[in-house]
């Protein structure tokens, strides 16, 4: 079996800020080389060959130390280490201090030395090396003025202090930005994890409602029928109960297969809505009829699905708990809403004393209410012990345009039929 392709590691992707830093480093190194060449030419032109030999040799040593330190610094940065081999850096600063004091013509290269020091070192070592660079430059320029121009002495020191403050602020801002980016990344990961958990919880809740409104209700009704058949066997009514139970179980099997594939009700998700509601209700009460009021119109698929599930759950409760003589389902079309009323004249109950969901049941009303409210609708339960129950749901619909064709062309049935 071929190995799955590996996804790129985000931590190994090139960092745009590191590319910018590399470009800045390249500009600094190029500037150092240009300034060293220009300073060397200037020095050679203004001094005798005897002075040139040792000064040029010292300048070459500084260039070599600079190159070695720059390479070490670049390698350590790639390895995410802050400091390169420190002796090389201090050797460079010492050689540079000697060069700029002996030959102040090389003072312009101090800027490149300063930036390399701050890139290579941190903490007290960076301040010490940077201060030494500024001090050596000040001494060299002050010497070049025959120890008379105080500005030559104070200028490099002030410039070094200013550059140090600016560089420190840049480093603090960069560190703060890195922390903020890290916090944003962690927050995004936490948000993504929370969204995944919320999605899993919502999906579990949805699947539990689907199972309750289809498989659980059908199995409970089948159990009642089989228990009734067991009590009256071998009477003719027992055979009829077994037939009904088998039909319900076949429907539950179809529902279960549908839940595995698309979580839709087979045979109910197409065709006119009143007929689909009646078919869903007759899975539990085979004599019930659906009444329609208003002008029939198309409804969104999610509204249709919710109405089907609420009808199934409500009529199943009538079969299981109500012991009713009469029951009816009314589907109403309003200009901006659709309503569903499920009525029975059974034993009723106190809606305020419904026990919480448990292993023995209690999910029906909660699942119905969640279905309706998730679509922006309302569900109410009116019931009194001994006086029956009405479950009323209302779901919003888009405004009804003029001359809209009705969804259903079949005659509306306004009759009531008892259990």
């Amino acid at each position: 079996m071929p190995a799955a392709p590996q996804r790129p590691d985000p931590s190994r992707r090139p960092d745009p800020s590191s590319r910018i830093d590399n470009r800045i480093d390249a500009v600094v190194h190029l500037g150092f080389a240009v300034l060293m060449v220009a300073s060397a030419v200037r020095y050679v032109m203004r001094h005798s060959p005897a002075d040139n030999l040792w000064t040029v040799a010292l300048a070459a040593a500084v260039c070599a130390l600079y190159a070695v330190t720059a390479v070490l610094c670049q390698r350590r940065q790639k390895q995410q280490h802050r400091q390169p081999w420190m002796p090389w850096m201090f050797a460079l600063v010492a050689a540079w201090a000697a060069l700029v004091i002996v030959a102040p013509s090389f003072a312009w290269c101090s800027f490149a030395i300063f930036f390399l020091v701050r890139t290579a070192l941190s903490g007290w070592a960076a301040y010490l090396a940077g201060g030494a660079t500024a001090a050596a430059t000040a001494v060299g320029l002050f010497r070049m003025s025959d120890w008379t121009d105080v500005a030559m002495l104070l200028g490099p020191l002030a410039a070094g202090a200013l550059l140090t403050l600016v560089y420190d602020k840049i480093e603090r801002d960069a560190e703060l930005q890195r922390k903020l980016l890290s916090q944003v990344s962690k927050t995004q990961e936490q948000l993504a994890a929370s969204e995944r958990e919320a999605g899993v919880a919502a999906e579990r809740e949805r699947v539990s409602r689907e199972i309750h409104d289809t498989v659980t209700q059908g199995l409970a009704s089948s159990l009642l029928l089989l228990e009734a058949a067991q009590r009256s066997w071998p009477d003719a009514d027992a055979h009829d109960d077994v037939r009904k139970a088998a039909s319900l179980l076949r429907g539950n099997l179809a529902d279960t297969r549908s839940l595995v594939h698309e979580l839709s009700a087979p045979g109910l998700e197409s065709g006119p809505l009143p007929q689909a509601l009646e078919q869903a209700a007759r899975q539990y009460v085979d004599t019930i009829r659906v009444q329609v009021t208003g002008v029939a119109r198309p409804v969104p698929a999610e509204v249709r699905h919710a109405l089907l599930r609420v009808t199934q759950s409500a009529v199943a409760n009538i079969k299981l708990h109500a012991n009713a003589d009469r029951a009816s389902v009314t589907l109403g079309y309003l200009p901006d809403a659709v309503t569903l009323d499920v009525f029975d004249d059974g034993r009723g109950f106190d809606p305020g004393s419904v026990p919480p969901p448990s292993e023995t049941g209690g999910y029906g009303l909660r699942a119905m209410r969640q279905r309706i409210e998730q679509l922006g609708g309302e569900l109410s339960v009116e019931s009194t012990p001994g006086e029956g129950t009405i479950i009323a749901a209302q779901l919003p619909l888009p405004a009804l345009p003029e001359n809209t064709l009705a969804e259903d062309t079949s005659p509306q049935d306004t009759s009531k039929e008892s259990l």
Side-chain angles (χ1 to χ4, degrees):
M1 182 177 178
Q6 295 183 352
R7 299 179 61 182
D9 185 358
S11 62
R12 296 184 179 179
R13 295 176 182 173
D15 185 2
S17 62
S18 65
R19 291 198 298 266
I20 295 175
D21 292 341
N22 291 336
R23 293 174 183 174
I24 294 175
D25 292 341
V27 171
V28 171
H29 300 332
L30 179 62
F32 175 79
V34 171
L35 290 174
M36 284 294 292
V37 171
S39 299
V41 171
R42 181 179 183 274
Y43 185 85
V44 169
M45 293 178 62
R46 296 193 176 192
H47 294 81
S48 64
D51 296 333
N52 293 343
L53 180 62
W54 294 106
T55 302
V56 172
L58 183 57
V62 169
C63 291
L65 289 171
Y66 184 96
V68 171
T69 306
V71 171
L72 289 175
C73 179
Q74 187 69 20
R75 289 180 178 177
R76 291 300 178 94
Q77 283 181 339
K78 290 181 178 180
Q79 297 172 1
Q80 296 183 350
H81 290 285
R82 181 63 180 169
Q83 296 182 1
W85 195 3
M86 195 174 296
W88 286 96
M89 189 72 250
F90 283 105
L92 170 63
V93 172
W96 166 254
L99 176 65
V100 76
I101 292 174
V102 171
S105 297
F106 293 89
W108 288 107
C109 301
S110 301
F111 291 100
I113 299 294
F114 176 84
F115 284 112
L116 180 61
V117 165
R118 294 307 306 260
T119 302
L121 304 176
S122 63
W124 65 269
Y127 292 124
L128 180 61
T133 302
T137 304
V139 171
L141 293 177
F142 192 46
R143 173 179 172 275
M144 187 176 65
S145 68
D146 292 331
W147 314 101
T148 59
D149 192 347
V150 179
M152 290 292 187
L153 177 64
L154 299 180
L157 296 177
L162 180 61
L163 288 176
T164 299
L165 293 176
V166 171
Y167 206 98
D168 285 346
K169 186 174 188 310
I170 293 174
E171 284 191 330
R172 287 195 300 268
D173 292 343
E175 182 64 24
L176 178 59
Q177 185 179 16
R178 285 191 292 269
K179 290 181 179 179
L180 291 176
L181 289 176
S182 178
Q183 292 176 357
V184 169
S185 178
K186 291 180 180 178
T187 302
Q188 289 177 340
E189 292 176 358
Q190 293 173 355
L191 179 60
S194 299
E195 290 178 348
R196 286 193 296 270
E197 292 175 359
V200 170
E203 183 65 13
R204 287 176 177 174
E205 188 70 26
R206 184 173 71 92
V207 172
S208 68
R209 289 198 304 267
E210 296 291 338
I211 294 175
H212 174 272
D213 294 344
T214 56
V215 179
T216 304
Q217 297 283 23
L219 292 176
S221 298
S222 301
L223 181 61
L224 286 179
L225 291 171
L226 291 174
E227 289 175 347
Q230 183 181 17
R231 289 191 298 268
S232 60
W233 191 268
D235 295 343
D237 292 340
H239 293 277
D240 189 50
D241 289 339
V242 171
R243 178 185 57 79
K244 291 179 180 178
S247 177
L248 277 174
L249 291 174
R250 280 193 294 269
N252 289 157
L253 179 60
D255 283 340
T256 303
R257 288 171 175 169
S258 179
L259 287 173
V260 171
H261 294 288
E262 298 177 348
L263 287 179
S264 62
L268 301 180
E269 299 294 347
S270 60
L273 180 57
Q275 281 81 344
L277 293 179
E278 187 169 295
Q279 181 181 350
R282 287 193 174 187
Q283 291 179 355
Y284 306 100
V285 179
D286 55 8
T287 58
I288 201 168
R289 298 288 298 275
V290 174
Q291 308 168 54
V292 180
T293 62
V295 179
R297 56 179 294 197
V299 299
E302 63 272 13
V303 173
R304 177 188 180 95
H305 187 78
L307 294 174
L308 286 170
R309 294 309 191 206
V310 169
T311 300
Q312 285 179 311
S313 184
V315 177
N317 284 338
I318 294 174
K319 175 68 175 178
L320 295 174
H321 309 297
N323 194 22
D325 295 326
R326 292 185 301 115
S328 65
V329 177
T330 302
L331 176 67
Y333 292 96
L334 302 177
D336 58 352
V338 60
T339 63
L340 178 71
D341 297 316
V342 181
F343 162 78
D344 72 82
D345 63 351
R347 66 182 63 180
F349 64 98
D350 181 7
S353 62
V354 176
S358 64
E359 295 181 356
T360 59
Y363 290 92
L365 289 176
R366 186 186 70 163
M368 285 188 278
R369 191 178 303 279
Q370 288 178 342
R371 282 186 186 279
I372 299 302
E373 291 180 351
Q374 283 180 354
L375 297 177
E378 297 179 357
L379 185 135
S380 61
V381 180
E382 300 178 7
S383 183
T384 303
E387 297 185 8
T389 301
I390 298 176
I391 295 178
Q394 178 170 317
L395 288 166
L397 293 178
L400 182 64
E402 296 182 0
N403 301 324
T404 300
L405 294 176
E407 178 195 29
D408 306 296
T409 57
S410 58
Q412 298 178 4
D413 188 357
T414 58
S415 64
K416 290 187 177 180
E417 188 164 331
S418 66
L419 287 173

